[in-house]
Amino acid sequence: MHYKTIVLSDIHLGSNASKAKEALTFLKHHTCDTLILNGDIIDGWQLKRGAEWKKAHSNFFKKVLQMSVKDKTDIIYIRGNHDDFLDAVLPFKLGRFSIRKLYIHKGVQRNYLVTHGDMFDSITTKMR
């Protein structure tokens, strides 16, 4: 199936609870013009605690990069609270791949603010 836009979030690559295999299987069977990775794609908090980066986590990113190059999919990576380490490089753009804090998605009839949502949560923003 092909879609104009697909949004994925909270895959938590780098954690034992990661849904990397499921997300990869989904992307193998679905294509899109724009892929929005809406935060917590990488779980920097678990990686700092010594969690293991698995092959399935790398395979997910390989697929995303392949979509960007081969399928000409625009990849918008929105930084979440678990991938807050990306703040050091924001904003970032390389070809069709960009990393942002938020994104305005232009829909058919209206525009949508896409953000992970942690910026509205005083617990995650003030009490690390």
Side-chain angles (χ1 to χ4, degrees):
M1 291 282 293
H2 182 82
Y3 298 93
K4 182 173 172 47
T5 304
I6 292 175
V7 180
L8 299 176
S9 75
D10 295 278
I11 299 171
H12 289 272
L13 302 174
S15 77
N16 289 332
S18 174
K19 299 299 179 188
K21 289 180 183 177
E22 294 85 349
L24 178 60
T25 299
F26 177 82
L27 290 179
K28 285 181 177 178
H29 295 95
H30 301 85
T31 60
C32 58
D33 298 329
T34 304
L35 175 62
I36 301 173
L37 301 173
N38 192 15
D40 293 355
I41 303 306
I42 298 172
D43 195 327
W45 296 3
Q46 289 299 316
L47 289 169
K48 284 181 186 175
R49 293 183 184 127
E52 180 183 357
W53 186 269
K54 298 177 181 173
K55 186 175 181 177
H57 303 167
S58 294
N59 289 341
F60 173 80
F61 262 113
K62 285 179 189 176
K63 177 60 178 170
V64 168
L65 294 174
Q66 176 188 30
M67 290 172 68
S68 176
V69 174
K70 184 180 175 188
D71 301 334
K72 299 191 182 334
T73 302
D74 292 321
I75 311 295
I76 312 295
Y77 189 130
I78 307 297
R79 160 256 192 258
N81 52 309
H82 285 258
D83 39 25
D84 56 357
F85 62 90
L86 294 171
D87 284 344
V89 298
L90 288 175
F92 176 84
K93 182 162 176 57
L94 181 62
R96 294 181 172 276
F97 184 91
S98 65
I99 304 173
R100 308 168 187 202
K101 265 197 165 166
L102 54 89
Y103 173 64
I104 305 296
H105 180 68
K106 297 180 189 307
V108 174
Q109 295 182 346
R110 62 180 54 107
N111 294 336
Y112 300 91
L113 172 65
V114 183
T115 179
H116 185 65
D118 58 298
M119 68 174 64
F120 303 111
D121 182 353
S122 63
I123 301 296
T124 61
T125 56
K126 295 185 171 73
M127 303 176 81
R128 292 189 176 171

